[in-house]
Amino acid sequence: MSTPEEKKALRRRLVEDRLALPDRLRRADLLQQVMRIWLVGRPDTVIGAYWPIKGEFDPLPALHRWKEDGELLDEPQLRRIALPVVDKQHRTLGFHAWYPGCPMEEDAYGIPKPKDTEVVVPTLLFVPCVGYGPGGYRLGYGGGFYDRTLAALEPRPFTVGLGYTNGYLDDLEPEPHDVPLDAILNDNGVVWPV
């Protein structure tokens, strides 16, 4: 079992490695394609994602394309994209509608969030992975926001981790409170379930 200090050092190393990736833009293009193909045929009309920080993959271009594609179907679908908003009291995340150009403000952590947009409930949630490993487990930043949020959301959304291949940890040991993701995508394709 890793100590908290070892996990903190691992997170720091993974973020530094991600920021230093010489081909991050190419990997991001590949993951955009993987994500767009993976979304084809999904029944969801409200998808939650995240605002990318610290070199994270940006899921928003693929989601904007998904939203536009919904309007071109034989029976047009209103599709919504949601971004997390921190509930400081419960240390969980709520989701507010996002669209390109919508009013934004910074949250307590300096991360942009939609300002005064409608609260929505995603049936699919894309989550960033600092690292990820076998069995669908992810390593986040250690704040526990996603763990607490997923424990509280009813119905629980289908969860999909997004990360680059360098974030894979074959020896990642989940903690007792960790809940595995339903799927993980990286720049090579679907890595969970295998």
Side-chain angles (χ1 to χ4, degrees), residues 49-68:
Y50 57 90
W51 191 270
I53 60 170
K54 301 179 183 179
E56 289 173 341
F57 168 72
D58 183 354
L60 297 173
L63 284 176
H64 183 59
R65 184 75 174 265
W66 163 83
K67 182 183 181 311
E68 288 182 327

Side-chain angles (χ1 to χ4, degrees), residues 34-85:
V34 167
M35 199 176 145
R36 286 183 44 209
I37 291 166
W38 187 88
L39 280 167
V40 171
R42 284 287 312 177
D44 310 278
T45 56
V46 179
I47 294 180
Y50 57 90
W51 191 270
I53 60 170
K54 301 179 183 179
E56 289 173 341
F57 168 72
D58 183 354
L60 297 173
L63 284 176
H64 183 59
R65 184 75 174 265
W66 163 83
K67 182 183 181 311
E68 288 182 327
D69 288 349
E71 295 158 12
L72 302 174
L73 295 172
D74 291 339
E75 295 178 31
Q77 246 181 8
L78 176 61
R79 292 178 173 177
R80 313 287 299 276
I81 301 166
L83 288 181
V85 174

Side-chain angles (χ1 to χ4, degrees), residues 53-163:
I53 60 170
K54 301 179 183 179
E56 289 173 341
F57 168 72
D58 183 354
L60 297 173
L63 284 176
H64 183 59
R65 184 75 174 265
W66 163 83
K67 182 183 181 311
E68 288 182 327
D69 288 349
E71 295 158 12
L72 302 174
L73 295 172
D74 291 339
E75 295 178 31
Q77 246 181 8
L78 176 61
R79 292 178 173 177
R80 313 287 299 276
I81 301 166
L83 288 181
V85 174
V86 174
D87 175 334
K88 287 184 210 151
Q89 182 182 352
H90 298 102
R91 292 182 47 87
T92 57
L93 303 170
F95 292 89
H96 289 241
W98 174 86
Y99 51 89
C102 84
M104 301 287 282
E105 63 187 354
E106 285 190 356
D107 69 12
Y109 300 94
I111 301 170
K113 65 176 184 175
K115 182 180 182 191
D116 303 327
T117 61
E118 178 187 351
V119 174
V120 293
V121 179
T123 56
L124 171 64
L125 185 58
F126 284 107
V127 295
C129 295
V130 174
Y132 56 92
Y137 290 98
R138 77 182 268 274
L139 178 68
Y141 292 101
F145 284 98
Y146 280 101
D147 292 327
R148 282 188 297 277
T149 300
L150 292 173
L153 281 179
E154 282 298 324
R156 184 180 185 271
F158 191 89
T159 55
V160 183
L162 297 171

